[in-house]
Amino acid sequence: MKIIIAGAGEVGFHLAKLLSYESQEITLIDIDKNSLAYASDHLDIRVIRGDVTSIAILKDARIDTAALFIAVTSSETTNITACVLAKQLGAKQTIARISNSEFLNEDDDVGFTKFGIDELISPEILAAAEIGLLLNQYGFNDTFEFEEGKLKMLSLRLSRTASFVGKTVREAAEVFPELHFVPIAIQRFGTQYTIIPRGDTEFKEGDKVVFMTSKGGDEELFQLSGKVKAELKNIMILGGSKIGYKTAKELCESKFKVKLIEKDSEVAFECADDLPNALVINGDGRNVELLDEENISDMDAFISVTGNSETNIMSCLVAKSKGVKKTIALVENMDYYQLSQSIGIDTLINKKLLAANNIFRYIRRGEVLAMTKLTNMNAELLEFEVTSRSKITQKKIKDLDFPRSAIIGGVVRNDIGLIPLGDFKIEMGDKVVVCCLPRSITKVERFFF
């Protein structure tokens, strides 16, 4: 697939990096020669220096042969203009990165597809939505919803009090029948290896386990994991950025008690004017005395979303030391993931990864409805829509020649989420969620087209 990416910033470079690993034909366009030089030195892609809204530059990139054009510069006006031009010049699909939430909220009225833009993506809005979801599922480290929550992906690290530690998947299924969850990926404590669990795979203390759950499965999983349920009400947010502002606004609407700390006085006053139900404090959140004065120890969750990854990590560690139940840090550097999780931060979020997850489904074959990469694990979750052509309907799951490095985690049928076992037969119209390692993606896709 030929893919053209406009913008060699953090999001553009990260996308180009991930897509180049998949042997896609990538062209990266930017006006900054230093960004392009870095990308050219580190990735096997074509780079073009120039204005992404230049028709001549787009033609030089052979836009008429592009299956996908992705505009992710820092300017949403540039991205929208580039996508409109790209579509008119022959690109099959276009995606524009935007920051104005109005564009997403009013898409039905405006109809951006009429102008040639197939998808609008806002990394900041995606991050705010991810934070909200994590707070609603606060006992888990990562979460992702399929079909408006009919199926949920949840991950946690197993403590010694978890009921299924020391049991194999088969033994756990026999002891806890009629449950509404299934393990779909495991990462052993202290390793980088991702395991797709089978019946004889044993749960061990310290494992990071990813589960697929249907309705009620999150509650069952919470009880069996040995965790104690507690309500989250008081939330402290560090950073009045777009993500911090958006998160605070949504949490206030959900009746959370929110304190927002922002060191820039102008930004703090703007947030205070726009967020009457939040307590906005103008101060440096790195100051432990300030955090103590604002009763950080009484907070149920601490969310750090400043523009500095190190500040976010360290402030979350301070919050954790003060007894805060849930900590969430925004990080830009992907290398921090392993280190941060090993020293006690509950969840890390990354705008680049969230944007990439949304864009990746456009390069997958078959009827891919949603896709996410598992945080810090070498596996992907893909949601397929089953059509009349899909080979997956021909046999029961246990009789399919399905790759052992992949697992069918859940099925949505008639708007009901189901956890399928071996005797389950997938039908046309079903929506199927599959967890797989990268090496098996091509084989999995063949079952759905």
Side-chain angles (χ1 to χ4, degrees):
M1 179 185 286
K2 180 176 174 57
I3 301 171
I4 298 175
I5 301 173
E10 289 182 336
V11 176
F13 177 81
H14 184 65
L15 276 172
K17 180 179 179 180
L18 292 176
L19 294 171
S20 66
Y21 289 160
E22 310 232 343
S23 301
Q24 307 292 341
E25 183 185 346
I26 308 297
T27 299
L28 184 63
I29 305 174
D30 201 291
I31 202 166
D32 188 321
K33 65 179 181 180
N34 293 327
S35 297
L36 288 179
Y38 183 84
S40 181
D41 290 343
H42 290 81
L43 305 175
D44 183 20
I45 61 174
R46 181 190 179 201
V47 298
I48 297 176
R49 186 185 179 198
D51 185 350
V52 298
T53 61
S54 164
I55 294 175
I57 291 294
L58 292 174
K59 286 183 175 179
D60 182 31
R62 302 196 304 277
I63 190 67
D64 58 319
T65 64
L68 181 61
F69 178 82
I70 308 168
V72 287
T73 73
S74 58
S75 167
E76 66 184 1
T77 303
T78 298
N79 296 336
I80 290 171
T81 303
C83 282
V84 171
L85 292 172
K87 194 75 167 192
Q88 295 299 316
L89 293 171
K92 290 184 177 63
Q93 283 188 308
T94 61
I95 300 174
R97 173 189 178 181
I98 55 102
S99 56
N100 188 344
S101 60
E102 274 191 335
F103 291 154
L104 286 172
N105 298 335
E106 305 296 334
D107 190 18
D108 291 339
D109 294 334
V110 177
F112 282 95
T113 53
K114 293 184 293 189
F115 304 115
I117 304 172
D118 296 302
E119 188 79 17
L120 296 170
I121 286 181
S122 168
E124 292 79 15
I125 292 173
L126 290 171
E130 178 77 358
I131 291 170
L133 195 57
L134 287 165
L135 291 178
N136 287 326
Q137 298 289 344
Y138 86 94
F140 303 96
N141 296 328
D142 304 296
T143 182
F144 190 86
E145 289 189 345
F146 296 91
E147 300 302 312
E148 298 179 340
K150 294 178 179 65
L151 290 174
K152 292 180 185 177
M153 179 276 289
L154 303 168
S155 79
L156 55 81
R157 196 166 292 280
L158 297 184
S159 65
R160 69 181 65 183
T161 57
S163 302
F164 35 80
V165 165
K167 295 181 174 64
T168 65
V169 172
R170 186 178 295 110
E171 289 170 343
E174 292 171 353
V175 175
F176 310 113
E178 301 300 322
L179 290 179
H180 301 89
F181 63 84
V182 63
I184 57 174
I186 296 176
Q187 184 183 62
R188 297 296 189 202
F189 181 73
T191 75
Q192 294 287 328
Y193 301 109
T194 301
I195 301 168
I196 300 297
R198 295 292 161 188
D200 58 355
T201 303
E202 182 182 350
F203 294 110
K204 297 182 179 181
E205 181 183 347
D207 283 351
K208 178 183 177 181
V209 186
V210 180
F211 295 90
M212 184 61 62
T213 71
S214 59
K215 186 177 180 180
D218 51 348
E219 291 289 337
E220 295 170 348
L221 187 56
F222 200 91
Q223 294 172 14
L224 293 172
S225 66
K227 295 179 179 290
V228 178
K229 188 82 171 180
E231 183 182 10
L232 297 185
K233 192 65 179 176
N234 299 306
I235 313 294
M236 183 177 285
I237 300 173
L238 178 58
S241 61
K242 290 179 181 177
I243 298 175
Y245 169 82
K246 181 73 174 174
T247 300
K249 183 177 181 181
E250 292 181 357
L251 292 178
C252 286
E253 291 172 355
S254 299
K255 308 304 180 184
F256 286 92
K257 294 181 179 178
V258 178
K259 285 186 180 181
L260 188 150
I261 301 176
E262 168 56 48
K263 68 176 181 178
D264 185 294
S265 58
E266 186 174 339
V267 174
F269 282 115
E270 287 178 358
C271 288
D273 288 340
D274 294 340
L275 300 170
N277 295 322
L279 175 60
V280 180
I281 298 147
N282 179 210
D284 190 341
R286 295 172 298 181
N287 186 331
V288 178
E289 289 184 2
L290 172 65
L291 296 178
D292 284 333
E293 288 174 5
E294 296 303 329
N295 301 317
I296 188 173
S297 58
D298 294 336
M299 296 296 115
D300 299 313
F302 182 87
I303 303 162
S304 190
V305 288
T306 73
N308 186 288
S309 298
E310 290 80 5
T311 295
N312 296 337
I313 290 171
M314 293 308 297
S315 59
C316 279
L317 291 176
V318 170
K320 206 67 179 176
S321 72
K322 300 290 184 179
V324 177
K325 301 184 188 77
K326 180 75 174 180
T327 54
I328 301 173
L330 175 71
V331 295
E332 296 297 330
N333 191 333
M334 301 292 287
D335 296 333
Y336 286 144
Y337 266 78
Q338 184 67 25
L339 172 63
S340 301
Q341 289 185 339
S342 67
I343 57 177
I345 294 178
D346 294 308
T347 306
L348 300 174
I349 56 173
N350 180 279
K351 292 186 297 182
K352 296 176 287 187
L353 196 56
L354 291 171
N357 287 344
N358 274 261
I359 292 171
F360 254 70
R361 60 193 171 103
Y362 287 89
I363 68 165
R364 294 291 179 223
R365 301 181 68 185
E367 300 294 328
V368 179
L369 302 176
M371 177 266 169
T372 185
K373 282 181 169 290
L374 299 183
T375 303
N376 205 37
M377 297 176 78
N378 188 33
E380 295 183 11
L381 273 177
L382 299 160
E383 181 188 6
F384 295 93
E385 184 167 13
V386 180
T387 68
S388 58
R389 307 184 308 275
S390 302
K391 300 172 186 174
I392 196 82
T393 61
Q394 295 173 359
K395 299 176 181 177
K396 294 179 179 180
I397 290 177
K398 66 181 180 182
D399 297 324
L400 293 170
D401 186 22
F402 212 67
R404 289 191 62 80
S405 52
I407 185 171
I408 297 173
V411 173
V412 176
R413 177 179 293 172
N414 299 325
D415 280 338
I416 298 174
L418 305 170
I419 302 299
L421 301 178
D423 289 326
F424 191 93
K425 194 169 188 292
I426 292 168
E427 300 174 355
M428 185 182 75
D430 286 348
K431 293 168 184 176
V432 181
V433 178
V434 178
C435 180
C436 56
L437 302 185
R439 65 175 180 267
S440 62
I441 288 174
T442 302
K443 291 181 179 178
V444 168
E445 288 174 335
R446 288 178 186 149
F447 282 91
F448 293 93
F449 68 89

